[in-house]
Amino acid sequence: MNTQTDTALSSVAPTMSTAVILAAGRGTRMKSEQPKVMHQLAGRPMLRYLLDNAAQVFDRIVVVVGPGMDDVAALAAPHAVVVQHERLGTGHAARQAAAEFGEGDVAVLYGDNPLITPGTMRALLEQRRSGDTGLALLAMEPADPARYGRVVTHNGQVTRIVEWADATAQERAIGLCNAGVLCANADDFRRWLSEIDNNNAQKEYYLGDVVARAVAQGECVRAVVAPEDELRGINSRAELAMAEACVQARLRQAAMAGGTTLIAPDTVFLCADTVLEPDTVVHPHVVFGPGVHVRRGAEIHAFSHVEGAVVGPDARIGPYARLRPGSDVGAGARVGNFVEIKATTLGAGAKASHLTYLGDTSVGSNANIGAGTITCNYDGVFKHRTEIGADSFIGSDSVLVAPVRVGDGAITAAGSVITHDVPDDAMAFGRARQSNRAEQARVFRERLKNRKEQG
């Protein structure tokens, strides 16, 4: 063993890497006042995907935002943020971050290309470090190359990027298309950015011109081919919808790989943070909003909407149920058709089987909530809670006016309006006394018919 050599090798610092994300676009074609990168995919801003994936590959992240984009800067935190005060093109945007490149390798990504996976980012970085590659870029082979810029190669090296409008018929026949993502040594990247100009119809500095600078200086430029779905740019609402479809397909595949049964996968919509434990079953046409955790063995029936809620093991939801934020359904509990719960806890085995609204309510274990029950939780100014005890029975069409407590084992008679607490094991009648008036139905109908005939 050569101790001196080993010591020298161990003292060599690993090459640093920086991802620069261009996120200053206003999204003019989105017809929106919201910055483009803040539009959501599966309940999460598109920029969040790129930040999370890049953080798995690169040592540092720098985000370029436009003036007044405080919400984008806040989302980018704690990563470095620089402002592009004048929007003079993608090359100009990358220049704004040049002082933040540091040492090592730099990759420039686009905030409206949010679906690039860590694996593809890693492949790009590895190609740059492969030995002879001065500049690496991402490319794709889409089913319809359309108006993408074409990547012209010779003997495996990229010789130039030609825009569709400038391409010959032969060049337009090339299937390899430019995705715009570049990776190079920080010093080289800074130099090439300083050399590009804006001698074009738009008077903008284009990041793609860096490729021509690298080739002109004798650098080896190589393309890393990635799937079209990963490199899909988002510039319009239609493209946002296509990207959403890609994200949903990934989420569904991940859910099924994790042990969830999706009976009709294409009809189920998930959020990026949806947690479905193994042995859960999701029926057709179910929508999950942000913040949902469905535990093992639970089943979500068709046409249910679940958001900000926990569904306990072996619980049953729906069909046509709505779980709103703050809801927690216990083990084996049942939320049936046309039942809505909000900020409500159902204990183990509790049942609200149909036609019920429970808001700001705690329901004890094994309680039964009859059809048509509602908890009146809002007085126009404040929200109030209702407590329903374990093993209690709430009769159909009961109205519980909060704040109120129904004790353990208590019963409310059907059609009752409960305004006072009900002790444990008590039965509450909160309805008016019934009186029957003979022949009055016939008299009433005849009176109405006469009024109708008289106009």
Side-chain angles (χ1 to χ4, degrees), residues 162-188:
V162 58
E163 295 304 320
W164 185 90
D166 301 322
T168 65
Q170 184 178 8
E171 288 167 339
R172 288 180 182 178
I174 296 172
L176 190 62
C177 297
N178 180 34
V181 176
L182 304 177
C183 184
N185 173 269
D187 292 334
D188 291 336

Side-chain angles (χ1 to χ4, degrees), residues 35-189:
K36 186 196 305 187
V37 297
M38 295 300 290
H39 286 266
Q40 295 198 346
L41 295 170
R44 178 178 290 176
M46 66 171 82
L47 178 60
R48 183 78 265 160
Y49 289 88
L50 209 52
L51 289 168
D52 291 348
N53 290 345
Q56 298 179 48
V57 179
F58 297 93
D59 300 302
R60 298 175 61 250
I61 296 175
V62 181
V63 181
V64 181
V65 305
M69 289 187 172
D70 295 340
D71 50 353
V72 181
L75 180 62
H79 304 296
V81 173
V82 296
V83 180
Q84 182 189 18
H85 292 283
E86 295 182 273
R87 291 181 171 88
L88 301 178
T90 53
H92 179 263
R95 276 185 186 176
Q96 310 314 299
E100 297 287 340
F101 281 5
E103 302 298 326
D105 295 308
V106 174
V108 178
L109 309 164
Y110 296 88
D112 58 5
N113 267 131
L115 304 184
I116 303 175
T117 62
T120 294
M121 294 180 189
R122 203 169 286 114
L124 179 71
L125 195 57
E126 289 172 354
Q127 177 62 65
R128 213 312 287 163
R129 294 173 174 176
S130 63
D132 67 339
T133 304
L135 176 68
L137 59 85
L138 288 184
M140 58 183 169
E141 297 175 315
D144 179 12
R147 301 178 70 90
Y148 284 114
R150 303 305 202 261
V151 180
V152 182
T153 62
H154 180 70
N155 293 332
Q157 295 189 32
V158 177
T159 58
R160 64 195 183 101
I161 306 294
V162 58
E163 295 304 320
W164 185 90
D166 301 322
T168 65
Q170 184 178 8
E171 288 167 339
R172 288 180 182 178
I174 296 172
L176 190 62
C177 297
N178 180 34
V181 176
L182 304 177
C183 184
N185 173 269
D187 292 334
D188 291 336
F189 221 142

Side-chain angles (χ1 to χ4, degrees), residues 152-413:
V152 182
T153 62
H154 180 70
N155 293 332
Q157 295 189 32
V158 177
T159 58
R160 64 195 183 101
I161 306 294
V162 58
E163 295 304 320
W164 185 90
D166 301 322
T168 65
Q170 184 178 8
E171 288 167 339
R172 288 180 182 178
I174 296 172
L176 190 62
C177 297
N178 180 34
V181 176
L182 304 177
C183 184
N185 173 269
D187 292 334
D188 291 336
F189 221 142
R190 272 189 289 261
R191 184 178 72 256
W192 294 330
L193 285 171
S194 70
E195 293 171 353
I196 62 176
D197 57 44
N198 64 343
N199 294 328
N200 52 64
Q202 299 298 321
K203 296 300 179 184
E204 293 186 351
Y205 298 88
Y206 296 129
L207 182 62
D209 290 347
V210 164
V211 176
R213 299 305 308 160
V215 171
Q217 295 174 19
E219 293 288 348
C220 174
V221 180
R222 295 192 184 277
V224 174
V225 181
E228 179 185 6
D229 283 348
E230 288 192 32
L231 304 181
R232 191 183 298 277
I234 301 174
N235 296 293
S236 66
R237 302 282 182 166
E239 290 174 345
L240 183 69
M242 288 188 286
E244 177 75 27
C246 291
V247 172
Q248 289 297 331
R250 290 183 188 180
L251 294 173
R252 292 166 188 148
Q253 287 297 323
M256 291 185 287
T260 290
T261 294
L262 302 181
I263 293 175
D266 289 348
T267 70
V268 174
F269 290 86
L270 304 163
C271 265
D273 64 349
T274 303
V275 178
L276 301 174
E277 293 186 2
D279 290 326
T280 51
V281 177
V282 181
H283 289 252
H285 303 289
V286 172
V287 176
F288 293 97
V292 174
H293 190 137
V294 182
R295 300 197 183 277
R296 184 181 290 270
E299 189 166 1
I300 314 296
H301 290 270
F303 296 100
S304 295
H305 188 283
V306 185
E307 179 178 0
V310 176
V311 179
D314 301 313
R316 296 292 180 267
I317 307 298
Y320 295 98
R322 185 182 182 195
L323 273 57
R324 292 171 57 192
S327 295
D328 191 331
V329 179
R334 177 82 170 91
V335 178
N337 50 290
F338 302 105
V339 173
E340 177 183 352
I341 67 174
K342 189 273 296 181
T344 289
T345 300
L346 264 65
K351 294 186 295 183
S353 295
H354 27 239
L355 302 167
T356 291
Y357 171 72
L358 302 174
D360 298 283
T361 301
S362 300
V363 179
S365 60
N366 298 312
N368 186 87
I369 310 298
T373 295
I374 64 170
T375 57
C376 298
N377 57 322
Y378 184 49
D379 62 10
V381 179
F382 300 106
K383 296 288 182 71
H384 303 279
R385 290 199 65 81
T386 298
E387 295 182 29
I388 299 172
D391 300 306
S392 59
F393 186 97
I394 307 301
S396 296
D397 283 328
S398 290
V399 177
L400 310 181
V401 183
V404 70
R405 179 183 183 276
V406 177
D408 294 347
I411 295 175
T412 68

